[in-house]
């Protein structure tokens, strides 16, 4: 068993705990409480790490991402507005699709890995990512995050959509034949 200490702990099911501790057994949270109470209850358990003036909390979840696009330049929604000033989703979607098609595989990998690193740094532990990049699987595995991967096959160009669909089938085979 291991004990982790922090100034605060934010459980999901109760109020925040100050001067907190989390007891972990076999990679599972076994008990939470104040550092004083858990140290008293488990005097022989080693403190694995003291995080000081930090917050222990459950990992964050981001269920809808397009990480290969995470290096894209920011855009103004008015660039895709109708003459009336209303946002036009279809215009934005077409522009985004064209941008995605212009990216080389290495650009997609760079964006994907940049996004994965940023997510880990922010405390995100579980993601759902939509990708048209054939090499995404190994980046997901290397990230240490829990990933629900979605192969993005949509495209305004029918040939590209068909190619993406065939790549998605190959991706499924890669995942099914892996050790992960």
């Amino acid at each position: 068993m291991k004990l982790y200490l922090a100034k605060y702990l934010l459980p999901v099911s109760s109020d925040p705990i100050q001067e907190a501790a989390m007891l972990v057994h076999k990679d599972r949270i076994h008990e939470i409480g104040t550092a004083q109470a858990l140290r008293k209850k488990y005097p022989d358990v080693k403190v694995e790490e003291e995080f000081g003036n930090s917050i222990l909390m459950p990992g964050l979840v981001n269920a809808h991402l397009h990480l290969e696009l995470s290096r894209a330049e920011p855009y103004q929604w008015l660039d895709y507005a109708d003459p009336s000033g209303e946002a036009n989703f279809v215009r934005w979607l077409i522009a985004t699709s064209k941008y995605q098609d212009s990216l080389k595989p290495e650009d997609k990998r760079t964006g994907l890995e940049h996004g994965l690193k940023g997510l880990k740094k922010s405390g995100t532990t579980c993601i759902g990512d939509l990708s048209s990049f054939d090499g995404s699987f190994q980046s997901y595995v290397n990230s240490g995050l829990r990933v629900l991967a979605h192969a993005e096959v949509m495209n305004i160009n029918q040939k590209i959509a068909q190619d993406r669909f065939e790549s998605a089938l190959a991706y499924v085979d890669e995942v099914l034949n892996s050790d992960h």
Side-chain angles (χ1 to χ4, degrees):
M1 289 200 278
K2 299 174 184 174
L3 199 59
Y4 297 88
L5 308 177
K7 180 75 175 171
Y8 300 98
L9 189 141
L10 299 179
V12 175
S13 59
S14 63
D15 291 337
I17 301 169
Q18 290 189 33
E19 304 305 330
M22 178 175 65
L23 183 69
V24 175
H25 179 64
K26 294 183 180 178
D27 294 328
R28 299 273 187 220
I29 298 172
H30 181 72
E31 191 170 343
I32 60 172
T34 65
Q36 181 181 13
L38 291 186
R39 281 180 150 172
K40 184 176 181 181
K41 187 173 179 179
Y42 302 97
D44 297 330
V45 174
K46 175 187 170 220
V47 173
E48 183 72 16
E49 192 158 355
E50 293 188 41
F51 293 103
N53 192 25
S54 297
I55 300 171
L56 290 176
M57 59 185 263
L60 302 173
V61 176
N62 192 329
H64 187 123
L65 296 161
H66 298 265
L67 290 175
E68 68 190 43
L69 303 178
S70 65
R71 304 280 297 187
E73 292 291 322
Y75 65 90
Q76 297 296 319
W77 70 269
L78 285 174
D79 293 344
Y80 306 101
D82 289 333
S84 67
E86 290 292 317
N88 186 311
F89 176 72
V90 173
R91 282 188 186 153
W92 171 83
L93 190 60
I94 290 169
T96 301
S97 180
K98 287 178 180 178
Y99 171 76
Q100 187 178 36
D101 294 345
S102 75
L103 295 174
K104 296 179 175 82
E106 190 52 41
D107 297 330
K108 290 181 179 186
R109 178 187 307 280
T110 299
L112 174 67
E113 292 180 355
H114 171 79
L116 290 167
K117 287 177 187 169
L119 287 163
K120 283 183 76 167
K121 188 175 180 180
S122 74
T124 301
T125 59
C126 304
I127 65 168
D129 187 39
L130 291 91
S131 178
S132 67
F133 173 52
D134 290 341
S136 60
F137 179 69
Q138 197 57 51
S139 295
Y140 295 145
V141 171
N142 294 342
S143 75
L145 298 173
R146 291 184 177 128
V147 178
L148 179 57
H150 306 276
E152 184 159 40
V153 298
M154 176 198 71
N155 195 283
I156 58 174
N157 180 311
Q158 187 175 6
K159 166 100 173 79
I160 293 173
Q162 182 64 39
D163 290 346
R164 285 186 180 175
F165 178 73
E166 290 171 15
S167 291
L169 294 176
Y171 180 74
V172 170
D173 287 340
E174 180 183 359
V175 171
L176 293 175
N177 294 319
S178 76
D179 294 333
H180 300 282

